[in-house]
Amino acid sequence: MTVAARRVVSLVPSLTEAVAASDPGLLVGATDWCSHPPGLAVARVGGTKNPDVPAVVALRPDLVLANEEENRAPDLDALRAAGVPVLVTEVRSLPAAFAELTRVLVDGCGLARPAWLAEAEAAWRVVRPRRPGVTAVIPVWRRPWMVLGRDTFAGDVLAALGVRNAYAGHAERYPRVDIGELTAPGRADLVVLPDEPYAFGPDDGPEAFPGLPVALVGGRHLTWYGPSLAEAPAALAAALEPAGLRRSRP
């Protein structure tokens, strides 16, 4: 971007939090799913998959922040056709998250690189995953069951903590897998259940994996790329340890 944006609409919860933590005065709009920071007082423009394009345009943004996975190309094309600049991020690894956050905040919004971003990088730089790690299945939906496959940000986050994704070599990024296959003997040592996008919880998810340790983790720590990255290593490790991170294959 050649001109720093002064009115920003974010269609990505992670990026909403990142901008708000850096310069909250820039945000004029966000999605209904943008829950952080709590109490954010900006116009709401619908969901990530179904934003109200006319409402976004009416806010006269200098920049709309989007993500190639979370937002639909037709919506972004409609915004561009209306003359609205759109910055689309692609985040499939921790290094990509840090690079894209810099692009959004520094290049897109014209801000100095925020201190929280350096703190987040430092938090991950000192992570020393246990070796050998455990192998896990990581469902992100049920009815039907869907799991993390290849080339995902959440998968890279877990890999940095020593958790191998049983479906990292799958041809699809979010394959549908029958529960019988997920629970087959030898498939995994551990099940990791985040509370988003599907709201897995103590009474919804673990019962499907009898005999396997289950780690219930915060989706914001596993899937968001923003200020939560600074606390994510400790928070995720705390959730994984009791469930079996110490149980490793030879």
Side-chain angles (χ1 to χ4, degrees), residues 133-142 145-148 158 163-167 178-195 198 200-202 204-218 222 236 239-247 249:
V134 296
T135 297
V137 293
I138 309 105
V140 292
W141 203 258
R142 69 182 301 179
W145 287 96
M146 298 176 67
V147 300
L148 291 185
L158 288 172
V163 178
R164 292 188 294 252
N165 178 6
Y167 287 89
D178 182 78
I179 189 63
E181 179 178 329
L182 294 179
T183 57
R187 171 62 61 187
D189 309 303
L190 174 68
V191 181
V192 178
L193 296 177
D195 61 11
Y198 186 90
F200 288 110
D204 188 353
E207 79 289 344
F209 299 91
L212 276 175
V214 174
L216 294 167
V217 303
L222 181 61
L236 290 171
L240 291 166
E241 281 284 359
L245 188 55
R246 288 171 293 188
R247 292 179 53 192
R249 290 178 173 177

Side-chain angles (χ1 to χ4, degrees):
M1 296 291 168
T2 58
V3 179
R6 306 317 303 164
R7 294 179 60 83
V8 175
V9 172
S10 173
L11 302 181
V12 185
S14 297
L15 298 180
T16 298
E17 185 180 20
V19 174
S22 305
D23 188 344
L26 294 182
L27 283 170
V28 296
T31 75
D32 299 339
W33 296 102
C34 293
S35 57
H36 285 74
L40 180 65
V42 298
R44 300 294 175 160
V45 295
T48 57
K49 302 296 186 187
N50 57 344
D52 185 336
V53 171
V56 174
V57 174
L59 290 171
R60 297 177 291 107
D62 302 313
L63 182 66
V64 170
L65 302 177
N67 175 266
E68 50 91 26
E69 181 176 290
E70 294 195 53
N71 307 117
R72 297 171 59 253
D75 295 321
L76 305 184
D77 290 341
L79 288 168
R80 294 188 185 98
V84 177
V86 179
L87 189 160
V88 182
T89 59
E90 181 176 320
V91 178
R92 302 189 182 186
S93 68
L94 276 165
F98 295 125
E100 290 287 66
L101 285 165
T102 299
R103 185 165 73 98
V104 166
L105 298 171
V106 178
D107 300 337
C109 297
L111 303 175
R113 201 167 192 268
W116 66 258
L117 187 50
E119 291 167 3
E121 286 182 309
W124 282 99
R125 201 158 39 237
V126 299
V127 168
R128 294 292 181 267
R130 292 159 177 78
R131 291 291 185 261
V134 296
T135 297
V137 293
I138 309 105
V140 292
W141 203 258
R142 69 182 301 179
R143 306 182 190 95
W145 287 96
M146 298 176 67
V147 300
L148 291 185
R150 64 170 182 83
D151 194 24
T152 66
F153 172 70
D156 195 56
V157 165
L158 288 172
L161 294 168
V163 178
R164 292 188 294 252
N165 178 6
Y167 287 89
H170 198 281
E172 299 177 19
R173 297 183 65 222
Y174 300 98
R176 296 185 181 190
V177 183
D178 182 78
I179 189 63
E181 179 178 329
L182 294 179
T183 57
R187 171 62 61 187
D189 309 303
L190 174 68
V191 181
V192 178
L193 296 177
D195 61 11
E196 62 175 82
Y198 186 90
F200 288 110
D203 300 318
D204 188 353
E207 79 289 344
F209 299 91
L212 276 175
V214 174
L216 294 167
V217 303
R220 179 167 164 265
H221 290 127
L222 181 61
T223 65
W224 288 37
Y225 40 93
S228 58
L229 281 170
E231 61 194 43
L236 290 171
L240 291 166
E241 281 284 359
L245 188 55
R246 288 171 293 188
R247 292 179 53 192
S248 55
R249 290 178 173 177

